[in-house]
Amino acid sequence: MIPESHPRYKSLVTREKLAQYTKTGIVSLEGLTAHGRGEAFDYLLGEETTESALRAEKIAAALLLSANHPVISVNGNTAALAAKEIAQLQQASQARVEVNLFHRTEERVQAISDLLQEHGITLVEGAVSRYIPLDHDRGLCHYDGMYSADVVLVPLEDGDRAQALIDLGKKVIAIDLNPLSRTSKVATVPIIDEVTRALVNITGFCTELGQDEITRLTEDIHGTGFIRDALEYIRERLLNVLD
Ligand code: ATP
């Protein structure tokens, strides 16, 4: 039992939740280590959304709303941490949702799909093929899902697939706390923020943005600026940490 008075209460509850989800196969053991890397960067970022990340989240909402065929790709950690937030974003953006796993087994796909559907998410279903040219299972996707997408939101992604999606001509919105990751570097819009915070903000913008603003926000996107901002923010915090 984690006492609510613990100064790291939220983080400990999240860790416990993820550990529980390893028992049902929704989160892989490797997923726990990926979470640890994310936590480390969130610590450096002060565990709150920066102004720069909020701007990226607004652009992400505009991209999803302007897309012909937006898709949200969900892996085990994202499902465990943010099923409710994905459901809300699907409602607000009308994006399709597709399960995509690096450590893929039919049992894991089923367990994650069940969890997402329990939260009211409609999934792209049916057969998958290796439409994304990768020699691991992140390459498997649905024809009606990621293969046909023009904008793909990829929370907690690996760099290989983010690059492959860009090479296929898609716009990629990444959510990754690591500003140095290959994913952040190649994404059209790298959102350097924690996944639940980011999804809530994107959903909020989806309900607010008008057509003129959507057009303006999607005209000229400079992803690397968000990486610079995050690194500068971390640098400032580190320099002032003992003041
Ligand atoms: P690269 O993009 O450089 O190829 P990788 O393939 O090694 O990175 P993964 O192991 O797939 O990356 O890890 C996914 C990323 O997700 C990590 O970089 C980590 O910072 C990030 N991450 C983990 N948990 C969260 C979270 N809750 N919110 C946002 N990002 C997170």
Side-chain angles (χ1 to χ4, degrees):
M1 187 66 188
I2 302 163
E4 276 186 52
S5 57
H6 194 289
R8 304 288 308 153
Y9 177 75
K10 203 166 165 233
S11 155
L12 294 179
V13 168
T14 303
R15 287 180 186 181
E16 188 173 74
K17 186 172 168 183
L18 286 172
Q20 286 294 336
Y21 274 121
T22 62
K23 294 179 187 156
T24 51
I26 286 174
V27 172
S28 66
L29 291 177
E30 294 82 354
L32 293 182
T33 62
H35 179 75
R37 186 193 291 163
E39 265 200 344
F41 278 102
D42 208 17
Y43 220 110
L44 292 171
L45 286 160
E47 295 175 309
E48 56 187 20
T49 302
T50 63
E51 274 178 37
S52 169
L54 197 63
R55 283 201 303 280
E57 285 153 5
K58 195 171 193 178
I59 294 173
L63 272 180
L64 288 171
L65 293 176
S66 64
N68 292 319
H69 188 140
V71 169
I72 304 169
S73 173
V74 177
N75 69 359
N77 280 35
T78 304
L81 293 171
K84 185 180 84 189
E85 289 80 2
I86 295 279
Q88 289 165 343
L89 181 55
Q90 181 173 50
Q91 283 285 322
S93 67
Q94 301 304 313
R96 297 186 186 185
V97 176
E98 175 166 354
V99 175
N100 182 279
L101 305 176
F102 186 84
H103 300 284
R104 186 183 179 101
T105 62
E106 280 320 304
E107 292 73 28
R108 279 198 78 210
V109 172
Q110 194 56 56
I112 292 167
S113 301
D114 289 348
L115 175 69
L116 296 173
Q117 282 166 335
E118 278 163 26
H119 283 80
I121 294 167
T122 305
L123 289 173
V124 184
E125 288 181 297
V128 289
S129 273
R130 199 167 294 279
Y131 290 118
I132 307 170
L134 291 170
D135 53 13
H136 54 75
D137 283 351
R138 282 279 213 178
L140 297 173
C141 71
H142 296 275
Y143 184 89
D144 289 342
M146 228 145 345
Y147 175 77
S148 307
D150 50 350
V151 173
V152 188
L153 171 63
V154 291
L156 324 191
E157 182 62 13
D158 59 75
D160 290 9
R161 195 175 65 125
Q163 181 66 61
L165 291 170
I166 292 280
D167 293 344
L168 289 171
K170 301 173 195 311
K171 291 186 176 145
V172 171
I173 303 162
I175 302 175
D176 187 337
L177 280 158
N178 179 3
L180 301 170
S181 73
R182 292 175 303 154
T183 304
S184 296
K185 285 185 189 156
V186 302
T188 316
V189 185
I191 297 174
I192 298 157
D193 198 5
E194 196 277 327
V195 65
T196 52
R197 294 197 303 263
L199 290 169
V200 168
N201 291 335
I202 299 169
T203 301
F205 286 125
C206 280
T207 61
E208 282 170 16
L209 290 177
Q211 191 50 55
D212 287 353
E213 212 173 358
I214 291 172
T215 307
R216 184 180 61 74
L217 287 165
T218 52
E219 250 165 21
D220 199 15
I221 302 172
H222 297 284
T224 49
F226 297 112
I227 297 174
R228 281 203 195 90
D229 290 347
L231 293 173
E232 181 59 28
Y233 190 86
I234 290 172
R235 191 182 77 96
E236 284 290 317
R237 286 196 82 239
L238 292 178
L239 288 175
N240 296 319
V241 78
L242 296 177
D243 290 351

